[in-house]
Amino acid sequence: MTAKNSFRMLAASCIAAVLVFGSATTLPAQNVVVMVNGEPITNYDIDQRSKLTQLSSRATPSRQQVLDELINEKVKIKEGKKFGIDPSAADIDAAFASMGSRMRMSSEQLEKTLENQGIRPDTLKRRIRAEMVWSNLVRGRFKSSMMVSEQDVRAALGESEAQAGENFEYQMQPVVLIVPRSAPNASREARFKEAEALRGRVQSCADANTIFKAMPNAAIRSMVIKTSAEIPQSLREILDKTPVGHLTAPEVTKQGVEMVALCSRKPSTADTPKKREIREKMTAEKFEKKSKEYLQEVRKAAMIEYR
């Protein structure tokens, strides 16, 4: 064998070694730290996730915290696949773009922001995938056990608060006795007295429509349907004191003298803002509890091999 051929063989061997094992400078970062169900987690993965966590939370996690997070994500994704939950690349990209939009950035700008911090966009996308899989899996498998009943909400509020926060649906028709802005105060006072007299005549919304549609310089508007959570507390108090079918007390406004014909007031199953807050909090607590229990279960069944 000539010296020239020997040199060529040596060079080819070196290139092959670099392709298989990586360069001497990048090898330590790629060292496998743990195998999870046959999939590796490397030093590079840990370094990337550490940077991402520092960027998103402004806190520096311990190496073990980061490693546990990565292990959890591996077992979550594997468990999701068992039940057919496997988001596509398009799903992940859409979630990534949505995250950027909430930060007022395009996908490209978010990617550039991450890269400027030494973080590959795929690092964030892998975390997004795991969160999507696990959320859908837990909510899908344990939906019934995470339901929060009306009784649960009332118990959390306390009976007095629950009663005070009872929700109604109101059907009403605003009416107005028109008074020009340039009219003297005497005209407004006269129309105010007229409105007070009309309150005694109106016993239903049908009465209100008949009277106000035939009356000059008056108007009755279309039916409005609102729940307690959708109207100001001051108006709700007035409506609750008004008998159904009657008019509320007159009020002088820029348009003239206005009242509301209360056509219906009935209990509503829609949540008040306070009840909605309580319900969402209790649902989140149930999800968190079930999520932890389920994660412990699937992690115990996983093959985790530290190197």
Side-chain angles (χ1 to χ4, degrees), residues 102-134:
R102 291 194 296 272
M103 294 185 284
R104 299 183 179 179
M105 289 189 283
S106 65
S107 294
E108 293 74 19
Q109 290 172 324
L110 179 54
E111 288 181 357
K112 189 67 175 176
T113 298
L114 292 170
E115 289 167 353
N116 287 341
Q117 298 295 322
I119 303 168
R120 293 181 60 189
D122 280 350
T123 299
L124 176 55
K125 289 181 179 182
R126 281 196 292 270
R127 187 169 75 179
I128 290 173
R129 174 182 290 276
E131 289 175 353
M132 287 178 65
V133 166
W134 194 245

Side-chain angles (χ1 to χ4, degrees), residues 125-173:
K125 289 181 179 182
R126 281 196 292 270
R127 187 169 75 179
I128 290 173
R129 174 182 290 276
E131 289 175 353
M132 287 178 65
V133 166
W134 194 245
S135 178
N136 288 332
L137 182 59
V138 175
R139 295 184 192 284
R141 290 202 65 196
F142 307 104
K143 181 179 180 179
S144 60
S145 65
M146 289 190 292
M147 295 289 288
V148 177
S149 68
E150 182 68 17
Q151 185 177 0
D152 293 334
V153 175
R154 292 178 71 91
L157 277 171
E159 194 62 29
S160 59
E161 276 192 78
Q163 289 175 352
E166 193 172 0
N167 201 27
F168 290 95
E169 178 188 272
Y170 303 92
Q171 295 184 7
M172 40 194 172
Q173 286 188 270

Side-chain angles (χ1 to χ4, degrees), residues 34-200:
V34 63
M35 296 291 292
V36 182
N37 294 321
E39 294 186 12
I41 295 174
T42 67
N43 278 320
Y44 180 73
D45 295 328
I46 296 172
D47 178 65
Q48 283 284 291
R49 181 54 61 87
S50 296
K51 290 179 180 179
L52 179 62
T53 302
Q54 289 178 44
L55 180 65
S56 61
S57 67
R58 305 297 180 185
T60 303
S62 69
R63 179 181 173 85
Q64 188 59 49
Q65 286 175 325
V66 174
L67 185 55
D68 282 337
E69 183 178 331
L70 292 170
I71 292 172
N72 290 343
E73 288 181 5
K74 293 284 187 187
V75 300
K76 287 176 179 179
I77 290 173
K78 181 177 175 62
E79 184 72 5
K81 288 180 179 179
K82 282 172 53 179
F83 293 90
I85 301 176
D86 188 15
S88 66
D91 293 330
I92 304 304
D93 287 342
F96 185 85
S98 178
M99 181 177 290
S101 179
R102 291 194 296 272
M103 294 185 284
R104 299 183 179 179
M105 289 189 283
S106 65
S107 294
E108 293 74 19
Q109 290 172 324
L110 179 54
E111 288 181 357
K112 189 67 175 176
T113 298
L114 292 170
E115 289 167 353
N116 287 341
Q117 298 295 322
I119 303 168
R120 293 181 60 189
D122 280 350
T123 299
L124 176 55
K125 289 181 179 182
R126 281 196 292 270
R127 187 169 75 179
I128 290 173
R129 174 182 290 276
E131 289 175 353
M132 287 178 65
V133 166
W134 194 245
S135 178
N136 288 332
L137 182 59
V138 175
R139 295 184 192 284
R141 290 202 65 196
F142 307 104
K143 181 179 180 179
S144 60
S145 65
M146 289 190 292
M147 295 289 288
V148 177
S149 68
E150 182 68 17
Q151 185 177 0
D152 293 334
V153 175
R154 292 178 71 91
L157 277 171
E159 194 62 29
S160 59
E161 276 192 78
Q163 289 175 352
E166 193 172 0
N167 201 27
F168 290 95
E169 178 188 272
Y170 303 92
Q171 295 184 7
M172 40 194 172
Q173 286 188 270
V175 298
V176 58
L177 302 183
I178 300 168
V179 180
R181 293 189 182 184
S182 58
N185 287 336
S187 296
R188 293 183 185 277
E189 291 174 2
R191 297 237 76 179
F192 191 90
K193 290 179 180 179
E194 186 179 3
E196 284 282 16
L198 286 168
R199 292 183 72 197

